[in-house]
Amino acid sequence: LLLCEKTTENKEDVNPIETKVGGTTFYFPSNKKWPVNDETGKMFTPVIQINFEEYKEHFPFLTKGLLQIFIDFDQDNDDFVIKKQSNNIDIRFIAEPSKAKARTITPDLDNVYIAGPYKLNNREFLSLPSAHSRHDLPENHLFNKWSWNKVVNKETSERMWSLYNYTEGLYIEDEFATRIGGYAPWITKDQTQICPVCNSKMEFIAAIGTDDTNFKLDGDGYMMIFMCNSSKKCPGPSEPSIIIQTY
């Protein structure tokens, strides 16, 4: 079981360097502008800003800095993995953010899709592995020994994975809730990414869910963020992988 943080809507979004989902007050240093799609001229949507200093207990390998992710939701986001090289995303990592040096950029709201703002609060809950978890668990983990396809109710033909995923009080991943830390909330299959440098499994960082945000995904589900910081040569927060899974 792992602890993670959940989300609440935040109308008073004023601190530019705090962790937030959506909104228009991301941190912009003097040398950065609002990201724009060069082909269409549309401004990218702010998706999430994570201040790692707030989550030291979750990510001891990265204790400071801001990760920012912007996505162009007017582009085709059907690919289940979005990386920094994709033309519909802008990923930024600011190692030394300074609230005193933050500046405000007011976007043209007719030229950008905005969701939120939402604030990650400190409502901790226990995160369980998904019934689809495979690659993100140790080989000897109990979940890898269960017969997930076994029929547990002959009258309804309900199977083990369905019982686990949807029984209230048994499995608490029963809503598509935004969270930082914990296990990746896989809803179709385990797509844990492998670092191209060290070949290690990337670390799950956060998931933006559709039940507590209004980002335009093709169904109910998540945008999940993974990164690898296993060695000094690994891409780290400057090149995370974004995985979209929906029903």
mmCIF file of all heavy atoms in Angstrom, residues 221-237:
data_model
loop_
_atom_site.group_PDB
_atom_site.id
_atom_site.type_symbol
_atom_site.label_atom_id
_atom_site.label_comp_id
_atom_site.label_asym_id
_atom_site.label_seq_id
_atom_site.Cartn_x
_atom_site.Cartn_y
_atom_site.Cartn_z
ATOM 1 N N GLY A 221 -11.004 8.200 -17.736
ATOM 2 C CA GLY A 221 -9.715 7.565 -17.495
ATOM 3 C C GLY A 221 -8.684 8.521 -16.956
ATOM 4 O O GLY A 221 -9.008 9.438 -16.202
ATOM 5 N N TYR A 222 -7.438 8.332 -17.406
ATOM 6 C CA TYR A 222 -6.316 9.055 -16.834
ATOM 7 C C TYR A 222 -5.295 9.489 -17.880
ATOM 8 O O TYR A 222 -5.121 8.832 -18.906
ATOM 9 C CB TYR A 222 -5.552 8.172 -15.835
ATOM 10 C CG TYR A 222 -6.310 7.746 -14.621
ATOM 11 C CD1 TYR A 222 -6.878 6.475 -14.555
ATOM 12 C CD2 TYR A 222 -6.438 8.583 -13.513
ATOM 13 C CE1 TYR A 222 -7.558 6.054 -13.421
ATOM 14 C CE2 TYR A 222 -7.120 8.169 -12.391
ATOM 15 C CZ TYR A 222 -7.674 6.913 -12.344
ATOM 16 O OH TYR A 222 -8.339 6.499 -11.233
ATOM 17 N N MET A 223 -4.575 10.559 -17.550
ATOM 18 C CA MET A 223 -3.273 10.873 -18.118
ATOM 19 C C MET A 223 -2.260 10.560 -17.018
ATOM 20 O O MET A 223 -2.319 11.161 -15.945
ATOM 21 C CB MET A 223 -3.180 12.344 -18.528
ATOM 22 C CG MET A 223 -4.038 12.733 -19.701
ATOM 23 S SD MET A 223 -3.883 14.497 -20.124
ATOM 24 C CE MET A 223 -4.918 15.237 -18.828
ATOM 25 N N MET A 224 -1.349 9.618 -17.258
ATOM 26 C CA MET A 224 -0.389 9.197 -16.242
ATOM 27 C C MET A 224 1.023 9.640 -16.617
ATOM 28 O O MET A 224 1.391 9.612 -17.791
ATOM 29 C CB MET A 224 -0.432 7.683 -16.066
ATOM 30 C CG MET A 224 -1.709 7.190 -15.428
ATOM 31 S SD MET A 224 -1.793 5.388 -15.286
ATOM 32 C CE MET A 224 -2.827 4.991 -16.691
ATOM 33 N N ILE A 225 1.790 10.033 -15.622
ATOM 34 C CA ILE A 225 3.138 10.568 -15.827
ATOM 35 C C ILE A 225 4.160 9.621 -15.213
ATOM 36 O O ILE A 225 4.043 9.230 -14.047
ATOM 37 C CB ILE A 225 3.273 11.963 -15.193
ATOM 38 C CG1 ILE A 225 2.210 12.905 -15.752
ATOM 39 C CG2 ILE A 225 4.670 12.523 -15.424
ATOM 40 C CD1 ILE A 225 2.105 14.215 -14.993
ATOM 41 N N PHE A 226 5.170 9.249 -16.016
ATOM 42 C CA PHE A 226 6.266 8.399 -15.570
ATOM 43 C C PHE A 226 7.597 9.087 -15.866
ATOM 44 O O PHE A 226 7.711 9.837 -16.840
ATOM 45 C CB PHE A 226 6.247 7.047 -16.306
ATOM 46 C CG PHE A 226 5.170 6.106 -15.855
ATOM 47 C CD1 PHE A 226 3.863 6.290 -16.245
ATOM 48 C CD2 PHE A 226 5.470 5.036 -15.030
ATOM 49 C CE1 PHE A 226 2.861 5.422 -15.828
ATOM 50 C CE2 PHE A 226 4.491 4.163 -14.606
ATOM 51 C CZ PHE A 226 3.177 4.352 -15.007
ATOM 52 N N MET A 227 8.594 8.815 -15.039
ATOM 53 C CA MET A 227 9.936 9.325 -15.326
ATOM 54 C C MET A 227 10.972 8.388 -14.718
ATOM 55 O O MET A 227 10.652 7.561 -13.866
ATOM 56 C CB MET A 227 10.124 10.747 -14.776
ATOM 57 C CG MET A 227 10.245 10.823 -13.284
ATOM 58 S SD MET A 227 10.748 12.469 -12.682
ATOM 59 C CE MET A 227 9.369 13.458 -13.187
ATOM 60 N N CYS A 228 12.207 8.530 -15.182
ATOM 61 C CA CYS A 228 13.309 7.746 -14.627
ATOM 62 C C CYS A 228 14.411 8.687 -14.168
ATOM 63 O O CYS A 228 14.861 9.553 -14.920
ATOM 64 C CB CYS A 228 13.865 6.755 -15.651
ATOM 65 S SG CYS A 228 15.143 5.672 -14.951
ATOM 66 N N ASN A 229 14.828 8.489 -12.926
ATOM 67 C CA ASN A 229 15.908 9.287 -12.357
ATOM 68 C C ASN A 229 16.927 8.370 -11.692
ATOM 69 O O ASN A 229 17.551 8.715 -10.699
ATOM 70 C CB ASN A 229 15.342 10.292 -11.343
ATOM 71 C CG ASN A 229 16.131 11.581 -11.307
ATOM 72 O OD1 ASN A 229 16.436 12.144 -12.353
ATOM 73 N ND2 ASN A 229 16.451 12.058 -10.122
ATOM 74 N N SER A 230 17.072 7.148 -12.263
ATOM 75 C CA SER A 230 17.910 6.122 -11.636
ATOM 76 C C SER A 230 19.395 6.457 -11.676
ATOM 77 O O SER A 230 20.163 6.027 -10.818
ATOM 78 C CB SER A 230 17.682 4.770 -12.322
ATOM 79 O OG SER A 230 16.348 4.339 -12.144
ATOM 80 N N SER A 231 19.819 7.194 -12.701
ATOM 81 C CA SER A 231 21.229 7.566 -12.808
ATOM 82 C C SER A 231 21.335 9.005 -13.299
ATOM 83 O O SER A 231 20.351 9.592 -13.752
ATOM 84 C CB SER A 231 21.961 6.629 -13.778
ATOM 85 O OG SER A 231 21.572 6.895 -15.117
ATOM 86 N N LYS A 232 22.526 9.552 -13.230
ATOM 87 C CA LYS A 232 22.721 10.931 -13.676
ATOM 88 C C LYS A 232 22.516 11.083 -15.179
ATOM 89 O O LYS A 232 22.248 12.175 -15.677
ATOM 90 C CB LYS A 232 24.124 11.410 -13.285
ATOM 91 C CG LYS A 232 24.331 11.539 -11.782
ATOM 92 C CD LYS A 232 25.720 12.044 -11.449
ATOM 93 C CE LYS A 232 25.898 12.211 -9.950
ATOM 94 N NZ LYS A 232 27.262 12.704 -9.611
ATOM 95 N N LYS A 233 22.655 9.980 -15.918
ATOM 96 C CA LYS A 233 22.485 10.027 -17.368
ATOM 97 C C LYS A 233 21.034 9.862 -17.802
ATOM 98 O O LYS A 233 20.707 10.129 -18.961
ATOM 99 C CB LYS A 233 23.353 8.953 -18.025
ATOM 100 C CG LYS A 233 24.854 9.171 -17.851
ATOM 101 C CD LYS A 233 25.650 8.094 -18.570
ATOM 102 C CE LYS A 233 27.148 8.315 -18.419
ATOM 103 N NZ LYS A 233 27.942 7.262 -19.118
ATOM 104 N N CYS A 234 20.172 9.418 -16.906
ATOM 105 C CA CYS A 234 18.758 9.209 -17.260
ATOM 106 C C CYS A 234 18.077 10.553 -17.521
ATOM 107 O O CYS A 234 18.477 11.588 -16.958
ATOM 108 C CB CYS A 234 18.047 8.461 -16.145
ATOM 109 S SG CYS A 234 18.630 6.763 -15.934
ATOM 110 N N PRO A 235 17.033 10.558 -18.362
ATOM 111 C CA PRO A 235 16.380 11.814 -18.740
ATOM 112 C C PRO A 235 15.791 12.573 -17.563
ATOM 113 O O PRO A 235 15.750 13.801 -17.566
ATOM 114 C CB PRO A 235 15.276 11.358 -19.705
ATOM 115 C CG PRO A 235 15.717 10.036 -20.205
ATOM 116 C CD PRO A 235 16.486 9.407 -19.084
ATOM 117 N N GLY A 236 15.297 11.849 -16.545
ATOM 118 C CA GLY A 236 14.738 12.498 -15.376
ATOM 119 C C GLY A 236 13.495 13.308 -15.688
ATOM 120 O O GLY A 236 12.753 13.010 -16.637
ATOM 121 N N PRO A 237 13.247 14.374 -14.932
ATOM 122 C CA PRO A 237 12.015 15.147 -15.091
ATOM 123 C C PRO A 237 11.946 15.970 -16.376
ATOM 124 O O PRO A 237 10.883 16.480 -16.716
ATOM 125 C CB PRO A 237 12.021 16.064 -13.859
ATOM 126 C CG PRO A 237 13.463 16.184 -13.500
ATOM 127 C CD PRO A 237 14.084 14.863 -13.821
#
